[in-house]
mmCIF file of all heavy atoms in Angstrom:
data_model
loop_
_atom_site.group_PDB
_atom_site.id
_atom_site.type_symbol
_atom_site.label_atom_id
_atom_site.label_comp_id
_atom_site.label_asym_id
_atom_site.label_seq_id
_atom_site.Cartn_x
_atom_site.Cartn_y
_atom_site.Cartn_z
ATOM 1 N N LEU A 142 51.112 42.807 -22.024
ATOM 2 C CA LEU A 142 51.713 41.725 -22.754
ATOM 3 C C LEU A 142 51.026 41.615 -24.135
ATOM 4 O O LEU A 142 51.742 41.257 -25.112
ATOM 5 C CB LEU A 142 51.424 40.402 -21.926
ATOM 6 C CG LEU A 142 52.291 40.261 -20.583
ATOM 7 C CD1 LEU A 142 51.769 39.430 -19.631
ATOM 8 C CD2 LEU A 142 53.722 39.816 -20.952
ATOM 9 N N ALA A 145 52.537 43.927 -26.458
ATOM 10 C CA ALA A 145 53.899 43.537 -26.910
ATOM 11 C C ALA A 145 53.705 42.579 -28.009
ATOM 12 O O ALA A 145 54.414 42.539 -29.136
ATOM 13 C CB ALA A 145 54.558 43.129 -25.756
ATOM 14 N N ALA A 146 52.806 41.583 -27.766
ATOM 15 C CA ALA A 146 52.549 40.441 -28.885
ATOM 16 C C ALA A 146 52.058 41.114 -30.094
ATOM 17 O O ALA A 146 52.617 40.805 -31.235
ATOM 18 C CB ALA A 146 51.581 39.404 -28.309
ATOM 19 N N GLN A 147 51.141 42.036 -30.094
ATOM 20 C CA GLN A 147 50.551 42.632 -31.284
ATOM 21 C C GLN A 147 51.595 43.464 -32.055
ATOM 22 O O GLN A 147 51.684 43.491 -33.271
ATOM 23 C CB GLN A 147 49.332 43.481 -31.028
ATOM 24 C CG GLN A 147 48.115 42.606 -30.854
ATOM 25 C CD GLN A 147 47.019 43.469 -30.500
ATOM 26 O OE1 GLN A 147 46.574 43.588 -29.355
ATOM 27 N NE2 GLN A 147 46.184 43.873 -31.553
ATOM 28 N N ALA A 148 52.514 44.150 -31.231
ATOM 29 C CA ALA A 148 53.588 45.023 -31.834
ATOM 30 C C ALA A 148 54.433 44.019 -32.628
ATOM 31 O O ALA A 148 55.144 44.468 -33.660
ATOM 32 C CB ALA A 148 54.335 45.739 -30.868
ATOM 33 N N ALA A 149 54.610 42.745 -32.246
ATOM 34 C CA ALA A 149 55.465 41.796 -32.881
ATOM 35 C C ALA A 149 54.730 41.124 -34.068
ATOM 36 O O ALA A 149 55.244 40.206 -34.590
ATOM 37 C CB ALA A 149 56.001 40.811 -31.897
ATOM 38 N N VAL A 151 51.706 39.515 -33.834
ATOM 39 C CA VAL A 151 50.889 38.381 -33.424
ATOM 40 C C VAL A 151 49.424 38.854 -33.409
ATOM 41 O O VAL A 151 49.126 39.777 -32.783
ATOM 42 C CB VAL A 151 51.266 37.777 -32.068
ATOM 43 C CG1 VAL A 151 50.460 36.562 -31.691
ATOM 44 C CG2 VAL A 151 52.724 37.426 -31.988
ATOM 45 N N TRP A 200 56.715 38.971 -17.332
ATOM 46 C CA TRP A 200 56.812 38.379 -18.606
ATOM 47 C C TRP A 200 56.948 36.873 -18.552
ATOM 48 O O TRP A 200 56.172 36.194 -19.216
ATOM 49 C CB TRP A 200 58.161 38.903 -19.247
ATOM 50 C CG TRP A 200 58.516 38.121 -20.643
ATOM 51 C CD1 TRP A 200 59.392 37.050 -20.643
ATOM 52 C CD2 TRP A 200 57.951 38.349 -21.841
ATOM 53 N NE1 TRP A 200 59.423 36.590 -21.950
ATOM 54 C CE2 TRP A 200 58.567 37.331 -22.774
ATOM 55 C CE3 TRP A 200 57.076 39.255 -22.489
ATOM 56 C CZ2 TRP A 200 58.272 37.254 -24.045
ATOM 57 C CZ3 TRP A 200 56.638 39.087 -23.833
ATOM 58 C CH2 TRP A 200 57.404 38.102 -24.566
ATOM 59 N N LEU A 215 51.536 33.871 -26.538
ATOM 60 C CA LEU A 215 52.992 33.953 -26.373
ATOM 61 C C LEU A 215 53.672 32.563 -26.516
ATOM 62 O O LEU A 215 54.696 32.369 -27.072
ATOM 63 C CB LEU A 215 53.359 34.690 -25.214
ATOM 64 C CG LEU A 215 52.996 36.245 -25.093
ATOM 65 C CD1 LEU A 215 53.284 36.785 -23.694
ATOM 66 C CD2 LEU A 215 53.741 36.935 -26.044
ATOM 67 N N LEU A 218 54.497 31.205 -29.971
ATOM 68 C CA LEU A 218 55.392 31.824 -30.904
ATOM 69 C C LEU A 218 56.722 31.134 -31.208
ATOM 70 O O LEU A 218 57.094 30.292 -30.428
ATOM 71 C CB LEU A 218 55.809 33.208 -30.305
ATOM 72 C CG LEU A 218 54.700 34.248 -29.859
ATOM 73 C CD1 LEU A 218 55.334 35.533 -29.341
ATOM 74 C CD2 LEU A 218 53.926 34.478 -31.074
ATOM 75 N N GLU A 221 62.034 33.468 -32.868
ATOM 76 C CA GLU A 221 62.264 34.864 -33.387
ATOM 77 C C GLU A 221 61.140 35.769 -32.886
ATOM 78 O O GLU A 221 61.297 36.893 -32.598
ATOM 79 C CB GLU A 221 62.409 34.827 -34.917
ATOM 80 C CG GLU A 221 63.640 34.114 -35.402
ATOM 81 C CD GLU A 221 63.458 32.688 -35.470
ATOM 82 O OE1 GLU A 221 62.592 32.135 -36.106
ATOM 83 O OE2 GLU A 221 64.431 31.919 -34.953
ATOM 84 N N GLU A 222 59.914 35.244 -33.050
ATOM 85 C CA GLU A 222 58.729 36.034 -32.797
ATOM 86 C C GLU A 222 58.718 36.383 -31.273
ATOM 87 O O GLU A 222 58.390 37.464 -30.845
ATOM 88 C CB GLU A 222 57.388 35.253 -33.162
ATOM 89 C CG GLU A 222 57.117 35.164 -34.588
ATOM 90 C CD GLU A 222 56.050 34.103 -34.886
ATOM 91 O OE1 GLU A 222 55.800 33.170 -34.132
ATOM 92 O OE2 GLU A 222 55.410 34.189 -35.990
ATOM 93 N N ARG A 223 59.053 35.438 -30.501
ATOM 94 C CA ARG A 223 59.073 35.582 -29.006
ATOM 95 C C ARG A 223 60.130 36.696 -28.695
ATOM 96 O O ARG A 223 59.891 37.486 -27.882
ATOM 97 C CB ARG A 223 59.431 34.261 -28.435
ATOM 98 C CG ARG A 223 59.395 34.317 -26.933
ATOM 99 C CD ARG A 223 59.723 32.988 -26.233
ATOM 100 N NE ARG A 223 60.133 33.211 -24.876
ATOM 101 C CZ ARG A 223 59.466 32.892 -23.818
ATOM 102 N NH1 ARG A 223 58.425 32.195 -23.993
ATOM 103 N NH2 ARG A 223 60.026 33.082 -22.587
ATOM 104 N N ALA A 224 61.288 36.602 -29.271
ATOM 105 C CA ALA A 224 62.364 37.552 -29.030
ATOM 106 C C ALA A 224 61.851 39.017 -29.543
ATOM 107 O O ALA A 224 62.074 40.031 -28.711
ATOM 108 C CB ALA A 224 63.634 37.279 -29.787
ATOM 109 N N ALA A 225 61.125 39.099 -30.587
ATOM 110 C CA ALA A 225 60.591 40.433 -31.008
ATOM 111 C C ALA A 225 59.533 40.906 -30.027
ATOM 112 O O ALA A 225 59.549 42.065 -29.691
ATOM 113 C CB ALA A 225 59.933 40.178 -32.401
ATOM 114 N N ALA A 226 58.625 39.958 -29.588
ATOM 115 C CA ALA A 226 57.567 40.408 -28.609
ATOM 116 C C ALA A 226 58.262 40.925 -27.284
ATOM 117 O O ALA A 226 57.811 41.833 -26.699
ATOM 118 C CB ALA A 226 56.633 39.274 -28.368
ATOM 119 N N LYS A 227 59.350 40.162 -26.946
ATOM 120 C CA LYS A 227 59.975 40.535 -25.588
ATOM 121 C C LYS A 227 60.776 41.931 -25.797
ATOM 122 O O LYS A 227 60.602 42.734 -24.825
ATOM 123 C CB LYS A 227 61.001 39.485 -25.261
ATOM 124 C CG LYS A 227 61.910 39.850 -24.092
ATOM 125 C CD LYS A 227 61.030 39.861 -22.752
ATOM 126 C CE LYS A 227 61.732 39.757 -21.433
ATOM 127 N NZ LYS A 227 62.733 40.816 -21.271
ATOM 128 N N ALA A 228 61.288 42.200 -26.966
ATOM 129 C CA ALA A 228 61.894 43.479 -27.167
ATOM 130 C C ALA A 228 60.746 44.707 -27.123
ATOM 131 O O ALA A 228 60.982 45.654 -26.451
ATOM 132 C CB ALA A 228 62.517 43.619 -28.536
ATOM 133 N N HIS A 229 59.635 44.406 -27.644
ATOM 134 C CA HIS A 229 58.532 45.344 -27.604
ATOM 135 C C HIS A 229 57.951 45.533 -26.040
ATOM 136 O O HIS A 229 57.724 46.520 -25.588
ATOM 137 C CB HIS A 229 57.318 44.952 -28.435
ATOM 138 C CG HIS A 229 57.559 45.138 -29.921
ATOM 139 N ND1 HIS A 229 57.734 46.515 -30.521
ATOM 140 C CD2 HIS A 229 57.840 44.314 -30.951
ATOM 141 C CE1 HIS A 229 57.881 46.352 -31.744
ATOM 142 N NE2 HIS A 229 58.093 45.118 -32.067
ATOM 143 N N TYR A 230 58.036 44.366 -25.415
ATOM 144 C CA TYR A 230 57.573 44.359 -24.087
ATOM 145 C C TYR A 230 58.534 45.213 -23.179
ATOM 146 O O TYR A 230 58.094 46.030 -22.376
ATOM 147 C CB TYR A 230 57.593 42.918 -23.529
ATOM 148 C CG TYR A 230 57.384 42.735 -22.039
ATOM 149 C CD1 TYR A 230 56.012 42.878 -21.462
ATOM 150 C CD2 TYR A 230 58.369 42.527 -21.167
ATOM 151 C CE1 TYR A 230 55.856 42.764 -20.095
ATOM 152 C CE2 TYR A 230 58.306 42.524 -19.799
ATOM 153 C CZ TYR A 230 56.923 42.487 -19.300
ATOM 154 O OH TYR A 230 56.754 42.552 -17.828
ATOM 155 N N ASP A 231 59.820 45.058 -23.399
ATOM 156 C CA ASP A 231 60.810 45.817 -22.558
ATOM 157 C C ASP A 231 60.640 47.299 -22.841
ATOM 158 O O ASP A 231 60.672 48.160 -21.850
ATOM 159 C CB ASP A 231 62.286 45.404 -22.979
ATOM 160 C CG ASP A 231 62.605 44.039 -22.596
ATOM 161 O OD1 ASP A 231 61.936 43.511 -21.610
ATOM 162 O OD2 ASP A 231 63.558 43.463 -23.023
#
Side-chain angles (χ1 to χ4, degrees):
L142 290 156
Q147 279 180 271
V151 183
W200 167 268
L215 293 171
L218 300 182
E221 293 79 54
E222 288 168 334
R223 184 185 159 109
K227 177 64 165 59
H229 286 290
Y230 171 81
D231 290 342

